[in-house]
Amino acid sequence: MSEDQTVRHVCGISGGKDSAALAIYLKDVRKLTNVEYFFTDTGKELPEVYDFLERMESYLGTEIVRLGANRDFDHYLKLYGNYLPSPRQRWCTRELKIKPFERWIGDSQAVTYVAIRSDEPAREGYISTKSSIRAVFPFREDGVTRADVFRILEETVGIPAYYSWRSRSGCYFCFFQRRGEWLNLKKVHPDLYESAKQYEKTDPVTGKTYTWIQGLPLSELEAQDRPVFDGVLARSVKPKSWQDQLSTVAVRTPEMEAVLNGDGEDEGCLICHL
Ligand code: SF4
């Protein structure tokens, strides 16, 4: 693929820390002025993600193009036989993230900037199935690490607010979230937790249950577990740094430790969570 003016340069922003830092890096360090930024919107993202996108647009001084699927999540849920998506049946990513992106690229030749860091093990996930799209990895090329990512964000747009209670971006009902994060969702966004519960069903004929966590309906999860934190929510106290944000969580959960330690970040998919 020749590097000429007809090649589009695109960078997906998921609402997560790495892709946000990469967009800032491309602007401030690589001094690229021709990058098209995009966000694939499932319509089920966390409110914090939409707020963060606005901050990003303001900092980048350019629009982040919102890409949407032709039909919404509920349509595809029906299409897939009411099977809730899961790590093994990730139709949500395919229908609501990948296809809109590939439609947007169309027949263009494109370079896509991917925010995999230099300190990460090899990650699997979608980059592109089209030969006309070439992925490049500026953080790997330049030795940018997790600590650098947090520094870039702290010095510019700040850390996305949901990091005080959840370890990654994505849909509010994302099945990649851990049990403690589900309970944090209940605490922080009780309406969204209730909406997620509404998707769980038992087939009256077959008795088969459709739950986000295999074998554990959310109604049982909330009955089994105690709330994972009781403190003042991080976003209401305007913390100075991401460590401060996490320290405002009264009970440090394994999920919060994972965020601090960087563990478990290789789960999930690149297009949703990077
Ligand atoms: S964030 Fe989770 S639920 Fe949403 S599209 Fe991605 S994998 Fe599916």
Side-chain angles (χ1 to χ4, degrees):
M1 186 165 65
S2 62
E3 296 289 342
D4 58 34
Q5 294 301 315
T6 63
V7 176
R8 291 171 64 184
H9 290 249
V10 302
C11 177
I13 296 178
S14 69
K17 66 183 189 321
D18 295 299
S19 59
L22 178 61
I24 292 164
Y25 190 82
L26 294 178
K27 173 180 183 280
D28 291 352
V29 178
R30 292 277 182 108
K31 309 287 185 199
L32 298 181
T33 55
N34 58 345
V35 180
E36 299 172 66
Y37 299 100
F38 69 93
F39 169 69
T40 45
D41 191 347
T42 63
K44 303 291 181 183
E45 314 281 338
L46 293 167
E48 292 92 330
V49 167
Y50 296 112
D51 292 345
F52 188 63
L53 289 175
E54 283 181 21
R55 270 172 28 220
M56 286 294 299
E57 279 184 322
S58 161
Y59 186 84
L60 294 172
T62 189
E63 181 191 11
I64 298 170
V65 179
R66 269 59 161 188
L67 306 179
N70 292 337
R71 307 297 294 269
D72 64 10
F73 177 88
D74 293 7
H75 166 81
Y76 290 109
L77 180 61
K78 202 175 280 181
L79 199 67
Y80 284 87
N82 287 322
Y83 277 93
L84 293 175
S86 67
R88 299 180 67 179
Q89 298 290 334
R90 212 181 300 174
W91 56 258
C92 50
T93 313
R94 192 165 53 245
E95 299 293 349
L96 301 170
K97 296 273 180 182
I98 295 172
K99 286 186 180 175
F101 168 64
E102 293 194 337
R103 258 197 308 275
W104 181 61
I105 293 295
D107 295 328
S108 305
Q109 301 280 302
V111 170
T112 179
Y113 294 89
V114 181
I116 295 179
R117 305 182 314 263
S118 66
D119 59 346
E120 291 185 88
R123 292 182 70 170
E124 291 186 0
Y126 171 79
I127 294 175
S128 173
T129 56
K130 298 178 85 171
S131 59
S132 56
I133 302 175
R134 181 166 67 86
V136 293
F137 304 89
F139 282 171
R140 275 201 177 150
E141 291 163 12
D142 296 355
V144 175
T145 64
R146 187 169 186 277
D148 295 323
V149 160
F150 278 109
R151 181 182 47 73
I152 289 168
L153 293 180
E154 283 171 358
E155 291 173 356
T156 54
V157 294
I159 310 300
Y162 61 80
Y163 271 108
S164 62
W165 59 274
R166 176 168 149 153
S167 60
R168 59 172 70 84
S169 57
C171 302
Y172 66 82
F173 49 48
C174 185
F175 44 83
F176 281 113
Q177 63 192 311
R178 299 161 180 135
R179 293 179 186 197
E181 291 175 305
W182 275 110
L183 292 168
N184 283 348
L185 177 69
K186 180 171 165 54
K187 180 91 175 177
V188 179
H189 295 297
D191 52 332
L192 296 182
Y193 185 85
E194 286 307 312
S195 297
K197 266 168 76 175
Q198 296 304 315
Y199 280 108
E200 298 193 319
K201 300 262 185 309
T202 300
D203 188 315
V205 179
T206 63
K208 181 169 174 45
T209 55
Y210 300 88
T211 54
W212 294 108
I213 304 169
Q214 199 179 3
L216 180 63
L218 292 179
S219 55
E220 285 182 25
L221 173 75
E222 68 193 60
Q224 283 176 9
D225 290 272
R226 64 183 170 79
V228 289
F229 69 88
D230 303 314
V232 179
L233 296 184
R235 61 188 167 173
S236 66
V237 296
K238 295 189 172 36
K240 291 193 185 74
S241 69
W242 67 279
Q243 289 95 339
D244 291 341
Q245 273 193 334
L246 292 175
S247 69
T248 64
V249 176
V251 178
R252 182 72 62 75
T253 67
E255 289 74 29
M256 299 303 109
E257 294 294 351
V259 176
L260 282 166
N261 299 327
D263 297 338
E265 287 191 336
D266 54 344
E267 298 168 20
C269 49
L270 299 181
I271 200 163
C272 295
H273 302 121
L274 206 59

